[in-house]
């Protein structure tokens, strides 16, 4: 429980610092973060594929969870901190690339 809480705090700070325009609401009872990528506009719907294809990060497109999930990415943060840092760095790299 403590590890997940620390991972949540770290991930939220990292992504909000590194990914301008991203919105993250701290999940309360889960190790899955729903990351609001709607600031990407029309690119938001293809971002999960872009993450996979450009940086090898596998996430879930929020749209598969219904209309309210459109524009969101679901990311699992239940992992060792080194793995989390790697995944967040990949996410930030893809965010920067798709925003150019």
């Amino acid at each position: 429980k403590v590890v997940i809480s620390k991972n949540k705090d770290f991930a939220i700070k990292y992504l909000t610092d590194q990914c301008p325009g991203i919105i993250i609401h701290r999940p309360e009872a889960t190790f899955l973060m729903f990351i609001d990528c709607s600031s990407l506009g029309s690119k938001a719907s293809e971002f999960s594929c872009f993450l996979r294809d450009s940086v090898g990060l596998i996430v879930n497109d929020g749209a598969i969870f219904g209309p309210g999930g459109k524009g969101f990415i679901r990311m699992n943060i239940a992992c060792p901190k080194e793995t989390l840092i790697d995944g967040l760095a990949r996410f930030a790299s893809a965010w920067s690339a798709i925003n150019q």
Side-chain angles (χ1 to χ4, degrees):
K1 184 177 175 178
V2 172
V3 172
I4 299 297
S5 182
K6 287 182 179 182
N7 280 0
K8 286 178 192 179
D9 294 340
F10 183 83
I12 291 168
K13 178 160 180 24
Y14 187 98
L15 291 177
T16 53
D17 288 349
Q18 299 297 318
C19 304
I22 206 161
I23 300 169
I24 303 172
H25 300 283
R26 190 180 201 299
E28 292 184 23
T30 183
F31 54 88
L32 300 168
M33 292 183 56
F34 278 86
I35 304 166
D36 185 345
C37 300
S38 60
S39 68
L40 291 174
S42 63
K43 296 177 190 174
S45 64
E46 59 196 54
F47 191 51
S48 63
C49 292
F50 186 77
L51 283 164
R52 182 191 65 230
D53 297 342
S54 70
V55 297
L57 183 64
I58 308 300
V59 295
N60 296 108
D61 183 339
I64 67 171
F65 301 100
K70 186 176 179 184
F72 285 78
I73 295 292
R74 185 177 82 159
M75 184 175 185
N76 185 330
I77 59 165
C79 57
K81 188 157 186 187
E82 299 79 28
T83 303
L84 179 64
I85 291 168
D86 178 62
L88 295 172
R90 291 174 189 230
F91 190 103
S93 174
W95 184 268
S96 178
I98 204 167
N99 274 295
Q100 291 184 0

